[in-house]
Structures are given as C-alpha cells and as structure tokens.
Amino acid sequence: DNARKVKTIWGFQVDAKELDKLQRKLDGIKGLLEVIAVGAVAQKLVQLASNFAGAAEKLDLMAKSAAITVEEFQKLDFAAGHAQVETEELTGSLAKLSRQLYQARQGNKEALSAFQQAGFSAEQITSLKTSKDAFLALADKIKNTKDPIARLGVGMELLGRNSQRMVGFLSQGSGAIKDT
C-alpha cells in the first residue's frame, strides 16, 4: 500500500515486495511497543494500588496507636500539617497522650501530676473518653496558659520530649484545630 503511494506520488519504480516486508517489520515492532507500553502501564497501576494499600495500612496503624478512628486521625493530621507538624510527630504525641491519660486514670501520680499541671481536675481527666478529646482539651489548656515556658513544659510532659511544634500547634486552641 505504501509502495503504491510512493510510486503514484513520486513516480519512482520500487520493489513493492521489499517495502511490504519493511512495512510488516515496522508493524511488528509497533505491536511489540504497544504490548510493552500496556505492560508498563499495568505495572505502574499495580505499583500504585500497592502504594495506596500500604498507605491505608499505615494510616490505620497510626490511628490505632493514637486510639482514635482513621477519620479523626486524618482530620487532626490535616490540621497539624498546616502548622508544619509531621504525621509521625502527631502520631507519637497522641500515643504518648493516650498512655498518660490511661496512667492518670489508673492513679499514676506522675501522670496525674502532669495533667494537673496543665490545669485538669480529676473529674476532667475521668471525663476524657478518647485521646482526641484529651488532645482538644489540652489545646484549650495550652492556649490559655500565658507563660510560654509553662506551656512548653506541660506539652512536653504530656506529649513527649520532642513536642515543641505540637505545643505551637495546640496553642491555637481546639476551635482553630477543628475549623482547619
């Protein structure tokens, strides 16, 4: 077909058999390239699905370690991200806060003292049902603490030693965190 076009348009004398052979080879290469491209796309789709599954598992694990639902964790993580707080930092802080809350409920004097230094009464500690509740209540306590050294000390005591950015984030108060 291509040989006939060349012959007709340009008036060349060509061996149509050789051009047809070349065309078949080119068509074969084109077919192979299409198969390779489809295979590459399929491989990327499998990799993407695997990455999403891995991310979902990681998110579920982080939420469980913080003792909250995945949806609650995602909301807090989104808000924390706006304050330059990394997901892992949020996860660690929530896990530490959950442990502290559990220990305070069990009567651990150090944990009770840490919550009391933040301004929580024994009744308030008992009323906190989830780590998210404790987190948001702590945000209000930190927001209302005027002394920046006390604010940082309370945050580090309840959230962990490396919680400086978390304290900055919580200083906004629960309303700002919920609105993000």
Side-chain angles (χ1 to χ4, degrees), residues 112-129:
L112 279 168
S113 175
F115 275 99
Q116 289 169 345
Q117 285 177 9
F120 288 93
S121 68
E123 295 80 33
Q124 287 174 316
I125 294 169
T126 306
S127 72
L128 299 170
K129 301 299 179 207

Side-chain angles (χ1 to χ4, degrees), residues 96 100 114 138 142 149-164 166-167:
K96 169 87 173 173
Q100 290 283 73
L138 180 59
I142 287 176
I149 300 299
R151 194 179 311 151
L152 186 59
V154 164
M156 291 175 75
E157 194 69 32
L158 290 171
L159 302 171
R161 283 183 247 144
N162 295 321
S163 59
Q164 297 88 346
M166 287 298 299
V167 171

